[in-house]
Structure formats: C-alpha cells, structure tokens
Amino acid sequence: MLKILKTRFKQGCRTILFPKAKAPDLPQRYRGRPIIAGQNGSIDLGKIFFNPDSDIVYSNDYSMATSKREDLVLSQEREMALARALNERMLKIFGRSLKLRQVSAGGCNACELDLNVLNTPVFDLSRFGIQFVASPRHADGIVVTGPVSRNMREALLKTYEAIPEPKLVIALGGCAISGGIFSDSPQASHGLDTIIPVDLFIPGCPPHPLTTLDGLLRLLGRISS
Amino acid sequence: MELFNGGQISLSNIPVLTQQGFRARILDRCHEDARLVNLFGHLGTSGQVRLSAILGLDEEAGLEILSTFISSEAAQYESLTKDLLQAHLFEREIAEQWAIQPLGHPWLKPLRYHCNYRSATDIWKNIANKTIPGEYPFYAVGGEEVHEVGVGPVHAGIIEPGHFRFQCHGEEILHLEIQLGYQHKGIEPLMQGQDLKRSVLLSESIAGDTAIGHSTAFCEVVESLSGCIISPKAQAIRAIALELERLANHIGDLGALGMDAGFLPTSAYFGRMRGDYLNLLLALTGNRFGKGLCRPGGVLFDIDANMAGEFCLKLKKYKEEFQDVSDLLFSRPSVLARFEGVGVITPEDAQKIGLVGLAGRASQLECDVRINYSSGMWQFHHVPISLGATGDVYARALVRRQEILRSLEFLLKVLPSLPAGEIFTPAGPMKPDTLAVSLVEGWRGEIMHVGISDAQGGFARYKIKDPSFHNWFGLAYAMRGQEISDFPLCNKSFNLSYSGHDL
Ligand code: SF4
C-alpha cells in the first residue's frame, strides 16, 4: 500500500488544463492544418495524408474538425469553418453526457490508438462527460475509423442501427472521411458520409488527440471560435 | 539458394524444383534446424503460379529460397500443413489469393474473404460477396454440457474487429477458433504498380502501431533492388525510431495487462508513459506513430545534437519512472497470481507453431531479427536477447519489461554518439525481375517484406508478413484448457495486430 501511495505521489497530476487554458505547444515538426496562402487550387483535408513529402506546407494548428464534409476543402476563397455546436435540442440531450461506441472498420488502427489516448490521465475525457461504452444500445453515437472495408460494412450498419435515436456519427481520420490511403482499393468505401449521415469530420492520419478533443468539444459547444 | 536479410536474387536464379522436390526439401529442412519464414505465390511469366518458400536458418543468419510451378490447369499440390504446422496459414492464404488447392490441408478455410488474384474460379464459391463468418464451418465440440460462445466482430473496447468462437465446458475452454479478415483492405495489390511514393505511405499503414517497422522493411526492399546504400546516420535514426516504437507499445501493453489483472494504478501511469514515447516520435517525425520518417534512400528528419541531448535527458527520467512503476506491478502478489501459469505455450509447441518475436522469446525460442539477421545499425550495436522461461502471461510481460530496459540502454548509448553525415540519398531505379527480402524485428516480432520488381520500375508482386500472421494461432492454442475469463488477459499478453494480419 505504501508503495502505491509513494508512486502515486511521485506521479503527480498530469492532466492538461485545455480547454480552460491553451493546450501545450505541439513540436515544430508536427503537421497540422495546411497553410493555404501561396497554394494554388484547393486542399481537401479529408483526402490528404499529412505526409511531409508532399507540396503542402503545414502549420502547427491542430484544430481541424468540421461539421460538414465540404468544409474540409480549403482554398484561397474558403476559410476554415471549424465544427459548430449542435442545435439546442441536441445539446440539451448530449451536452453534459455523451456516450460513444467506437467501430473500427478497416483502418490501420493508429486512429483507434490515438482515440484511446483521450482516456489517459493527460486528456481525461470523462471530465467532459464523454465516455466510450461497450454496447451500442447504451450509446448516443458512434465514432467510426477506417475506410469501411467491405467485410466490416454489415457489422457497422448493424451497430449504427442498434443505437437509439437521436444519434451522432463521427468520422475519425482520413480513411473514414474519404477512404484515405486505401481509396483505390475495391475493398474500401469512399467516405462514411456516403453510407450514413455524419455529424463531425475529424481529419488526420491519425488525428492528434488534441484535434479529436477539440472537435468533440466544439460539437458540444464547449469551445467556440 | 542462399540469401541474406536485405539481399536480392534475380528471378531466374531462384531454384525451381518439382512439386515433390519442393515439398520434400521444405519438410527436410524444417524438421532439422530451419523455419518456414514465408511461403507465397506470384505469377510466373507464362501464367502459371510460382510458389516460393523462404526458409530461415536462424543460427547462420541465412535464408534459403526455393520455388515450384503450379500449372493453371491442375491448380493443386500436396499440402505441407499436414506435416508442418508452420505452413497452416500460408497455405490458406495461397488457396485464397491464387485459387490453388493444397490437397489434404486439414483446416482449409477462407482467411480474408476476397476473390483470387488470377481471375480463376475461387475455391470458395462467391467468397467475395459473403460476410464473415458466413457459412464458415467452425470447429464444434459435441456433448450435452458443451456450450459455444461467440464474440465479435465488434468488441467492447476501442479495438479492431475479429470473431472469436469458444467451445466451452463450463468455464473451461476446450477450443478457440479465431476468424479474422474484417480489416482486409487489399494492401498487397495496392502496393504493386509504379507509384512508389504511394506505396511507402501504404507501408506505414499496414499496422499503425508498427509504422516504423513496416516502413523500414519496405524501404530496405526498395534500397536492395536499387543498390542504394543508406548513410550510417540514416540507419541510426531508423533504429532509434524502431526502439521508440517498441518502447511505446511494450509500455502500453504492460499497462493493459495490469488493468486486466485488476490493478489500476499502473495502467494509468503506463498509459501516460506510453504517450511520452509517442511524443518523442512526434518531435522527431511530426507524427505520433512515426509516419513520414522512413523513405527509400534514408530518412526525412534529422536528429541534431540539441535534439539528441534533449531526448537523452528525457529518456533518463522516463527510465527511472518506468523502474518505479514496473516494480510496483511486478511486486503485487495479486497481479502475479493472475499472470503466472496462464496461457502457457511450451518451447516445443512454440517451435511447431512457428511463433516469432516476443511471444516466441517468452517460450524460450531464441528468435530476434536484430540478433539473428542483424542489418543496418544492429550490426554495430548488439542488443542482448530477452528470453522468458515459462511461456505464460507472466513470461510475456517479463520479456516486455526486459526489452524496455534494453531499448532504453540502447537509445542512451546511441543518441550521444550519432554518426555525422547526410540522412537521405535518393534511391535510383530498381533492377527488373528481381526479388528482394527484408526482415525487421518489429515490437511484436519478425516482419518480412518481399518485393518482386517488374521491368517498368515498379513491383509486380509485393508480399507482406506481419508477425501476427504467425502468432494468432499461438493465442488460440494457448487458450486450451484455460478459463474463459482468462481470455482478455491472455489476448493482451499477445496483443496481435488485426490489420497486420488482414492486410
Ligand atoms: S486515417 Fe491514417 S491513421 Fe487512421 S486508420 Fe486510416 S491510415 Fe490509419
């Protein structure tokens, strides 16, 4: 017991203060929201891979989640429109308690891993009333990762149907948004929103946990631009 | 024909044996001291399928390659599996990918539910239109008191999908069958073709938690085919990233194991500590999983003296923290009682199944690519092998703990004395009609990539093998005679990749 207490004391409190205070700075090499100035044409955040060897110049900004698929397409004329809060009725239902079921559908698993990180003491997701639950029947919505492989399509639809109305759908990562790096495969779909309606798009490969947290909190009206 | 890790051989120099000769040679060698490292099909020039086998001679750091042709009219051969368990999944994969019947295969069932690659009639009718498990004939145990438990594909936590079918008598598991394939996205065919810039990104997404391991293997295949020698500095940076990846995953696993044993404090600490290593990868590569670092010809991000110093300072602190928390975990009698004697695989069984990586080492198999087939940085820096004695959950946890400490020692030794020089030299065109292999010790175990170049500067065939491909059967086997409530813990102790298996 003493040992447990000693270790507990040594570990201290590690939870970040975000969103009350600014989130810790991400390292300079982190590839966040692309810089549009000086770009020709448009950049679709749902289709890019955030790889360093592309023509895109990235900023350090992790806020990228949107409410609409078309808001992910950035160009000189189109400023970033980050996710908006749900309407009042929905906020009343979900604002203080949101239970989510995650469905992994054909991705590489990095998206799931960095979603899981929100449950660590650093991000401590439960302090916002957001929790991941085991049964779709206990859930208010689903978070889908991966390009919805042909073999997962039916299981995904069944899980979606098992969630009581009203329900939220979140597409996490480039694969779920557009098929991502696998979009040329006959096994992959071309975007979750071509299968079920989506309320929140969180781009990245995988999205940084802060991108996901920021998106969820915007959806719940806890952060506004 | 002898090959080495990172080596290549012209297609015309790969020995072609008769089907009987091929079979006899593999069985002979594997009943002596060799191991079936890979067995796969690719298209021969006149439309037949060529089966190639790669045998590993762990003690000599040698690989032997041999092949045989299967005609498209009589697409069958005598199964190896009935005499060599290690061939089991490879043969099912070949049957599905190439519509070739391994005659007498004792367990011939589909793997990933897709149509074959040569537009022939599939062995399983209409396979690509079925949902898993479909009419999959699960092994069933009869008897009044026997009951069946099916779990998945959608599981309770934030994890990947798979289906587990238990045959139980009361609490006791008589048999477990694992059916995967849900994560199948057809990566191998996508990697083929000319666009190597796209292929390297795909290699980073074979298994997201092994992005460095798999992208290193991909780069080594391309470098081998194009005769590109990367600088010592690039080699060092790849090795550093590989160990950071190992550290993050091993530490996360120890946390998860503690959690499943019902000890929460360490799982919270380890969970956070895992993030420290991902953040080092983020600082180095701009991505928490190291995506974007490895490219054919070297790496895209340098470590300067400042960064090396900073990393060392942090790692020293992390090492202390790790020791504290792991002492706490490994000294809890309640944890040890849950770990010990659960999910045992004996060394003999491990060898028969062909376990690799940490699960193999936990069962006393001396398999570690960094040691047996050392290439790159590992030729200059020797890491001692970490072996377990008992082949149970405890051994798999202990091997992780040992490897964490050794990886930390390795990093603390390498970082302050990084070689100078360039980090990237573009790889030239690839030699046509040549096969190259690369082995990497990912955190789970042996990764093997095999690339066969075409005449247009791309890949005619690309074969990926994640260590999970060998080890899933080990998990199923380890569950026999265990209580069904032990499954989550035992599963964590292997922590295999669905994506890496399903491709
Ligand atoms: S978006 Fe990227 S990280 Fe996420 S599942 Fe797809 S490949 Fe993996």
Side-chain angles (χ1 to χ4, degrees):
Chain A
M1 191 64 206
L2 268 181
K3 214 168 175 181
I4 300 184
L5 287 176
K6 200 174 128 212
T7 321
R8 176 74 195 85
F9 181 71
K10 265 194 175 172
Q11 288 286 325
C13 175
R14 307 288 188 132
T15 310
I16 56 170
L17 288 172
F18 178 80
K20 281 203 191 101
K22 208 170 131 298
D25 277 338
L26 291 175
Q28 177 229 335
R29 288 179 184 171
Y30 164 69
R31 295 180 290 281
R33 191 201 296 178
I35 296 172
I36 295 298
Q39 281 283 341
N40 302 321
S42 58
I43 296 177
D44 185 345
L45 298 187
K47 280 195 175 155
I48 61 173
F49 313 119
F50 292 87
N51 53 314
D53 43 351
S54 72
D55 300 331
I56 299 170
V57 186
Y58 301 94
S59 77
N60 220 353
D61 188 348
Y62 57 80
S63 297
M64 280 183 275
T66 66
S67 303
K68 288 198 200 131
R69 175 69 181 89
E70 61 264 28
D71 288 345
L72 290 174
V73 185
L74 308 184
S75 66
Q76 301 283 11
E77 296 79 47
R78 243 189 127 103
E79 284 271 297
M80 178 102 227
L82 291 170
R84 283 171 295 274
L86 293 165
N87 66 31
E88 226 168 283
R89 186 179 86 95
M90 293 286 262
L91 272 188
K92 216 166 158 195
I93 306 175
F94 298 137
R96 292 167 145 270
S97 159
L98 179 65
K99 310 277 177 217
L100 296 168
R101 164 73 247 195
Q102 198 273 330
V103 178
S104 162
C108 79
N109 194 32
C111 275
E112 291 87 318
L113 291 169
D114 254 357
L115 181 64
N116 242 332
V117 161
L118 294 182
N119 288 323
T120 61
V122 179
F123 296 95
D124 191 14
L125 193 63
S126 54
R127 70 194 152 122
F128 304 106
I130 308 173
Q131 250 173 6
F132 289 94
V133 292
S135 168
R137 303 217 184 271
H138 301 157
D140 305 313
I142 46 173
V143 181
V144 180
T145 53
V148 192
S149 54
R150 198 183 49 75
N151 288 337
M152 261 313 281
R153 198 182 165 106
E154 188 181 311
L156 168 67
L157 289 175
K158 278 191 178 161
T159 311
Y160 173 72
E161 278 153 21
I163 298 173
E165 293 279 358
K167 50 191 159 195
L168 292 175
V169 176
I170 298 167
L172 183 76
C175 281
I177 296 174
S178 70
I181 187 79
F182 305 115
S183 56
D184 291 340
S185 169
Q187 303 288 337
S189 312
H190 295 105
L192 183 64
D193 63 338
T194 62
I195 304 170
I196 48 177
V198 175
D199 302 278
L200 184 65
F201 297 86
I202 308 178
C205 185
H208 191 280
L210 276 173
T211 307
T212 308
L213 183 57
D214 175 80
L216 288 171
L217 294 181
R218 282 176 197 276
L219 190 74
L220 296 182
R222 305 274 186 96
I223 302 180
S224 47
S225 343
Chain B
M1 179 58 84
E2 286 277 311
L3 206 66
F4 58 92
N5 179 14
Q8 39 139 315
I9 178 170
S10 153
L11 281 182
S12 54
N13 284 341
I14 300 176
V16 180
L17 283 73
T18 61
Q19 283 186 25
Q20 292 86 340
F22 181 72
R23 182 171 198 280
R25 175 79 187 160
I26 294 175
L27 292 181
D28 281 357
R29 297 300 285 120
C30 290
H31 289 148
E32 290 161 17
D33 49 0
R35 186 165 60 80
L36 189 62
V37 178
N38 219 332
L39 177 66
F40 60 99
H42 47 112
L43 272 189
T45 35
S46 48
Q48 341 89 304
V49 175
R50 187 171 185 176
L51 291 190
S52 289
I54 299 179
L55 309 178
L57 311 158
D58 293 350
E59 274 163 31
E60 298 153 32
L63 297 165
E64 176 180 337
I65 184 162
L66 59 158
S67 72
T68 189
F69 281 102
I70 310 277
S71 82
S72 20
E73 291 80 55
Q76 56 185 44
Y77 68 99
E78 193 185 345
S79 159
L80 289 158
T81 306
K82 50 184 179 176
D83 297 307
L84 181 69
L85 184 56
Q86 293 171 9
H88 158 230
L89 224 50
F90 288 117
E91 291 197 310
R92 282 170 61 180
E93 183 179 56
I94 290 167
E96 191 167 68
Q97 292 187 338
W98 301 100
I100 292 174
Q101 190 92 32
L103 297 173
H105 191 292
W107 205 253
L108 191 60
K109 305 181 187 189
L111 209 56
R112 307 178 179 120
Y113 291 66
H114 61 80
C115 35
N116 69 80
Y117 295 166
R118 61 181 183 102
S119 314
T121 314
D122 284 311
I123 290 194
W124 297 278
K125 260 200 215 112
N126 220 359
I127 179 88
N129 298 323
K130 294 202 168 118
T131 37
I132 309 178
E135 294 125 50
Y136 185 94
F138 281 103
Y139 182 83
V141 179
E144 256 179 33
E145 291 181 359
V146 172
H147 64 106
E148 195 181 77
V149 181
V151 185
V154 178
H155 303 288
I158 307 184
I159 57 166
E160 297 180 87
H163 185 86
F164 298 80
R165 191 70 66 101
F166 300 88
Q167 310 289 325
C168 301
H169 180 251
E171 283 290 295
E172 188 192 343
I173 300 171
L174 300 174
H175 178 77
L176 161 64
E177 197 165 345
I178 303 174
Q179 179 56 33
L180 305 177
Y182 297 92
Q183 296 282 72
H184 178 58
K185 49 243 164 202
I187 295 194
E188 282 184 4
L190 283 179
M191 303 273 294
Q192 287 154 203
Q194 271 60 55
D195 191 357
L196 295 188
K197 287 205 155 150
R198 178 100 176 183
S199 305
V200 72
L201 298 181
L202 280 160
S203 76
E204 295 176 327
S205 300
I206 292 167
D209 53 26
T210 316
I212 297 288
H214 276 289
S215 60
T216 300
F218 173 81
C219 292
E220 286 181 359
V221 164
V222 177
E223 285 151 9
S224 168
L225 287 168
S226 52
C228 167
I229 303 204
I230 69 167
S231 71
K233 182 150 205 199
Q235 283 176 351
I237 294 175
R238 279 185 191 172
I240 288 168
L242 189 70
E243 292 315 299
L244 287 173
E245 183 170 271
R246 190 180 323 277
L247 282 160
N249 283 297
H250 278 5
I251 288 181
D253 284 352
L254 286 183
L257 281 166
M259 169 101 96
D260 276 348
F263 191 54
L264 300 185
T266 53
S267 81
Y269 306 148
F270 280 137
R272 180 195 49 79
M273 285 155 67
R274 169 178 172 274
D276 291 338
Y277 295 94
L278 296 180
N279 284 336
L280 289 182
L281 274 176
L282 178 69
L284 168 59
T285 72
N287 180 290
R288 284 165 46 94
F289 296 86
K291 293 187 179 193
L293 177 69
C294 301
R295 292 294 180 266
V299 291
L300 295 185
F301 296 100
D302 204 350
I303 299 181
D304 61 12
N306 258 342
M307 186 181 263
E310 238 173 71
F311 276 27
C312 278
L313 273 183
K314 285 188 174 164
L315 288 169
K316 278 186 197 141
K317 197 175 105 217
Y318 297 167
K319 189 172 168 190
E320 248 175 61
E321 282 183 0
F322 173 75
Q323 268 159 336
D324 274 0
V325 178
S326 82
D327 283 351
L328 185 59
L329 179 74
F330 282 92
S331 63
R332 298 300 295 172
S334 64
V335 169
L336 298 181
R338 288 288 287 123
F339 282 6
E340 282 169 359
V342 174
V344 178
I345 299 192
T346 62
E348 297 73 42
D349 287 339
Q351 190 273 334
K352 264 193 215 148
I353 297 168
L355 286 192
V356 296
L358 83 92
R361 292 192 286 279
S363 292
Q364 298 179 29
L365 298 189
E366 295 188 20
C367 51
D368 187 326
V369 173
R370 292 173 297 173
I371 295 157
N372 298 342
Y373 299 91
S374 58
S375 66
M377 191 68 184
W378 309 109
Q379 287 169 310
F380 311 109
H381 283 269
H382 187 74
V383 272
I385 196 161
S386 307
L387 290 182
T390 43
D392 51 1
V393 171
Y394 175 71
R396 289 185 283 276
L398 203 64
V399 167
R400 283 184 170 92
R401 165 155 116 156
Q402 251 175 41
E403 292 191 357
I404 289 166
L405 292 170
R406 287 180 172 160
S407 293
L408 281 165
E409 273 162 31
F410 170 82
L411 290 175
L412 289 170
K413 206 162 76 193
V414 173
L415 276 164
S417 56
L418 274 178
E422 290 299 312
I423 54 166
F424 186 76
T425 26
M430 299 195 289
K431 224 168 81 203
D433 301 319
T434 307
L435 176 149
V437 294
S438 164
L439 285 164
V440 173
E441 185 70 22
W443 65 273
R444 282 192 186 88
E446 177 182 282
I447 296 167
M448 180 182 249
H449 284 205
V450 181
I452 299 179
S453 56
D454 60 19
Q456 288 83 45
F459 285 112
R461 171 81 169 115
Y462 202 87
K463 181 82 208 80
I464 299 160
K465 188 200 72 183
D466 186 87
S468 310
F469 195 76
H470 293 280
N471 288 2
W472 273 111
F473 186 81
L475 167 63
Y477 189 75
M479 290 319 298
R480 288 203 174 168
Q482 301 295 312
E483 295 199 357
I484 192 161
S485 51
D486 285 332
F487 177 70
L489 182 70
C490 201
N491 186 23
K492 289 277 164 52
S493 76
F494 281 85
N495 193 9
L496 301 174
S497 172
Y498 298 71
S499 182
H501 171 280
D502 292 348
L503 300 178

